[in-house]
Amino acid sequence: MERVTVTLGERSYPITIEAGLFNHPASFEPLRAGDKALLVTNDSIAPLYLDVVRHSLEKLGVNVDTAILPDGEKYKTLSVMDQVFTKLLQGNHGRDTTLIALGGGVIGDLTGFAAASYQRGVRFIQVPTTLLSQVDSSVGGKTAVNHPLGKNMIGAFYQPAAVVIDIDCLKTLPARELSSGLAEVIKYGIILDADLFDWLEQNIDALLALDVQAMGYCIRRCCEIKAQVVAADEREGGVRALLNLGHTFGHAIEAEMGYGNWLHGEAVSAGMVMAAETSRLLGQFSQSDVDRIKRLLARANLPVNGPESMKPEAYLPHMLRDKKTLAGELRLVLPTAIGQSEVRGGIAHEVVLSGISHCLI
Amino acid sequence: MERVTVTLGERSYPITIEAGLFNHPASFEPLRAGDKALLVTNDSIAPLYLDVVRHSLEKLGVNVDTAILPDGEKYKTLSVMDQVFTKLLQGNHGRDTTLIALGGGVIGDLTGFAAASYQRGVRFIQVPTTLLSQVDSSVGGKTAVNHPLGKNMIGAFYQPAAVVIDIDCLKTLPARELSSGLAEVIKYGIILDADLFDWLEQNIDALLALDVQAMGYCIRRCCEIKAQVVAADEREGGVRALLNLGHTFGHAIEAEMGYGNWLHGEAVSAGMVMAAETSRLLGQFSQSDVDRIKRLLARANLPVNGPESMKPEAYLPHMLRDKKTLAGELRLVLPTAIGQSEVRGGIAHEVVLSGISHCLI
């Protein structure tokens, strides 16, 4: 069993990583006999894992209600979140209830924000079932829903009480979603950890083949990096912003193409290449490192170009709504080497447009 | 000028109380030249105060957008809050924007929750225009919207950066709303301050006549009490719950009658008498003190009975959804003397029903 602690004073919490965790009632601590909980999941995950998780919770003595939401990024909205509140109120859930998010990033983000907001805050537990949510969105307390005019624009910083990662889940994950998760894994290597990037170049095939040992190491290492960054900068005043490498470009792709048509990791993958190209144009990143990044992403079956139908000019209006934008000035995360990156403002829009245009087919 | 500080470490903030504040740009600190802000108000307040406030902000050099919402408790919803987000996104407001709540409790609660949630949290300033919001809801950081199944069920603890109280506003406040505010004023006397209760018995007529000196003292004293309680217990783990005297009963009235048909303070007024009667039935509050409370409320033109059409049994389902309810057990704030009160659980439902039945015509 791999275990990582997110250190945030009295709001610290454990991340547990192992194959088969869903079968063990003890995996779901701090829940205990007599507690009440609402298990939130979606209609794709429910047939696969709802019964086993509910069974373990019931064995633990937890009184469990269930909310099954429609699957997909386009349902990460205020009005779908309102259905969770309705379920909680109909079931007379009090301030002492616990929300359990069983699913990928959409379920985790929405359930986390619901937990932050229900009666001004109740406990919640993240049970991420996709690689992307296991290595990224379930850790760190960023919760949100989307608005038609921008992704993740409405939310809260709200930490879970525990993160429970059962690696066995990945066996039922569609190949495209596995690759989408690898985009965030590769991101950690680019922004902060050259050794991880090297390791990924050696082990990407083992990860694609779901080798349990490689995957366990990979998830643990990513959670460690994320936990360190979050402990240093919970509310994204500084270093945490680096985790957004590729995301400003990627969000533009997701918004323009309609949420869910490009997977998040796919959009981030193309976005990371755009950031790398922009950095190269600024003279602070080498062509050979751009190529290394593109090669690794391609081996992970990820796109290294933006959508054919999307002109560079179509990116900017979305990018200017990015949360890192201050007083109308675009701020981008740019790699300065493999394993190093920085947040940079004041870049001329034409340079950004040129960076994007290097990533069109 | 009266000034009270809410002491919460680096989140401390000032409450400024004076007649004519809206005319002075300096009233709106910490806003300053070059800042961007969204002024949120409703269609009743806008014709009265929007121009003067906007003019002062523009004189200060603030770049101000405006969102005018429909007036009324029934619009304190997630979907109306979503209109505020749309306005913010359409105006390209970034994380460095400030939301200004110009209005009563509905505008303050909704705008505060919007500020807590927009891009996971932006600055906001409370500019309460009703007595109720000046003495209660604008101070302390409780923000929320309603759900069809319960009032204030969705929200956040989120402190403003400043509270700006212009007493002149009360001149345009309908008499019924002035009385509604006095219900919360009287509440402070009952739960924590026997001297204030005595003072109110002497000065209630001066307050109803909007005597500036009496009103200035009254608002300042209420803000002081609220600030002390909030500083001691921001998240309502203990003493802060006392501020809910009458509210569990009152929320049942509001929900059953339809939000906005009974004003909040009217429902709280009847609810406080119900709490006093329940406490008397438990042998811990005297009939003469019940009568003192009823007399003072009646002099403030407030109801001392629940709605005729509402049977005692109709209260309980709403009351069991109260946020103080833990594991299905009703917990009530009950006065133990004028100026003293406690939170108490484990009271038999028939005693509560009997307390309510003493307050039906």
Side-chain angles (χ1 to χ4, degrees), chain A residues 2 8 12 39 110 132 147 159 189-190 206 216 237 252 283 295 317 341-342:
Chain A
E2 309 263 13
L8 288 165
S12 297
L39 187 51
L110 184 149
L132 192 142
H147 185 281
Q159 302 294 340
I190 300 172
R295 213 153 38 225
S341 53
E342 63 172 25

Side-chain angles (χ1 to χ4, degrees), chain A residues 86 117 119-120 143 147 153 155, chain B residues 86 117 119-120 147 153 155:
Chain A
T86 302
S117 307
Q119 302 206 11
R120 301 195 185 92
T143 71
H147 185 281
M153 280 295 165
Chain B
T86 301
S117 307
Q119 302 205 10
R120 301 196 185 93
H147 185 281
M153 280 294 165

